[in-house]
Amino acid sequence: MNPAPAATQSHGIVRLEIPAIAEWVAVARLAVAAVASRQRFSVDDIEDIKLAVAESCTNAIQHGAVDNVISIVCEVGTDGIVITVSDRGQGPPLSAVEEERIGEGGRTEELGVFLIRALMDSVEYTSDVHGGTQLVMVKRVSG
Amino acid sequence: MDIKVSVRESEGDAYVVDLTGEIDVYTSPKVKDAITELIDREHYHLVINLEKVRYIDSTGLGVLIGGLKRVREHGGSVNLVCTNPQIKKIFDITGLVKIFGIFDDEQSAMKALA
């Protein structure tokens, strides 16, 4: 599946694969932050992107990336960045993303998906027991 | 990336947990262990100081929520010290500002403990 159209003109694509292991999540978020800094994002926006990527990787780890690999593709474009995170696990329950706000009763996995949706401009989740999970998220340059 | 966790006794039966670094899926078990140990030792009034925390994700939030649930079962409370705008924003958008007491300094957090 191709990344969602966020950026009208691609300025470059960066591909990264990390082991689906907790200690590698920091590497993923820092690498994506470096890629995002090529675009005119504010510091706050880059922090949002870092957290969204980390939550995506955490979901992949917690929901079984069966081949032990998480793939992250960043496409930097004129208007922003499209980030596709995919693995071959089942992904989090999609019902988790419907809550407007997550309070004390919220589970961590719900918090993670909720944060991704709150911090990014567009999020598309597809999960298939046989084909794995793919998350395509877009952050647009504001202003 | 790592997290430094240190625990110190404060006024009364209150304890302060000082955290320095980044709280994510890799480091949050260390934070959980420190909070769990305090609660297991029947310390139910906690201030968790996030002033030197640069980053927190949902697993970190989950640890804080879990700690709060446990101390509340014993009539206790957890207050947070947080001045980082990005981290405050995470508490705000998740609605957790309504659940935790969040303060700009340790003295205020300590005073507000139930």
Side-chain angles (χ1 to χ4, degrees):
Chain A
M1 192 180 294
N2 292 323
T8 48
Q9 187 182 350
S10 177
H11 289 185
I13 295 178
V14 175
R15 294 184 172 86
L16 173 69
E17 282 190 350
I18 62 164
I21 298 170
E23 62 192 278
W24 282 91
V25 172
V27 173
R29 69 173 185 259
L30 292 176
V32 173
V35 174
S37 68
R38 305 281 300 173
Q39 187 45 282
R40 294 166 287 114
F41 286 114
S42 66
V43 173
D44 284 353
D45 282 346
I46 289 177
E47 288 298 318
D48 291 350
I49 292 166
K50 275 170 67 178
L51 184 52
V53 168
E55 296 294 351
S56 309
C57 294
T58 299
N59 279 335
I61 292 166
Q62 291 176 337
H63 297 279
V66 292
D67 54 1
N68 211 29
V69 172
I70 302 168
S71 166
I72 301 152
V73 179
C74 305
E75 183 174 11
V76 179
T78 318
D79 302 329
I81 188 168
V82 184
I83 303 166
T84 304
V85 179
S86 50
D87 68 84
R88 295 188 59 226
Q90 293 181 18
L94 294 179
S95 59
V97 301
E98 300 301 329
E99 294 290 330
E100 288 287 318
R101 289 212 165 206
I102 306 291
E104 197 173 351
R107 296 195 303 263
T108 298
E109 66 190 17
E110 295 171 338
L111 275 173
V113 179
F114 176 83
L115 281 170
I116 294 168
R117 288 205 177 273
L119 297 173
M120 301 299 275
D121 291 315
S122 146
V123 176
E124 187 182 329
Y125 233 115
T126 54
S127 190
D128 182 324
V129 175
H130 303 293
T133 299
Q134 179 171 268
L135 172 61
V136 182
M137 50 192 171
V138 177
K139 189 77 169 177
R140 295 186 185 86
V141 174
S142 50
Chain B
M1 299 302 150
D2 204 358
I3 186 80
K4 187 180 168 195
V5 183
S6 65
V7 175
R8 58 192 158 91
E9 191 170 5
S10 189
E11 301 158 20
D13 188 36
Y15 274 74
V16 178
V17 181
D18 292 304
L19 302 175
T20 303
E22 303 191 339
I23 311 174
D24 68 2
V25 63
Y26 180 54
T27 60
S28 59
K30 201 170 170 183
V31 179
K32 184 178 182 180
D33 288 348
I35 294 173
T36 301
E37 190 184 334
L38 279 172
I39 297 170
D40 288 346
R41 284 164 44 206
E42 302 184 352
H43 300 298
Y44 304 127
H45 298 285
L46 308 179
V47 168
I48 299 177
N49 194 329
L50 304 172
E51 274 187 295
K52 293 180 182 170
V53 171
R54 299 186 302 272
Y55 173 90
I56 189 167
D57 73 2
S58 63
T59 58
L61 296 177
V63 167
L64 298 178
I65 293 168
L68 179 65
K69 280 183 180 172
R70 281 199 63 196
V71 298
R72 280 192 175 169
E73 288 168 7
H74 301 278
S77 57
V78 174
N79 284 341
L80 306 177
V81 182
C82 179
T83 52
N84 181 321
Q86 185 67 23
I87 294 178
K88 278 184 164 177
K89 175 179 153 183
I90 300 306
F91 280 96
D92 188 37
I93 61 180
T94 53
L96 294 174
V97 283
K98 294 177 182 169
I99 292 164
F100 288 100
I102 301 178
F103 300 87
D104 288 338
D105 59 81
E106 188 179 312
Q107 194 179 7
S108 307
M110 195 61 69
K111 251 185 206 170
L113 281 177

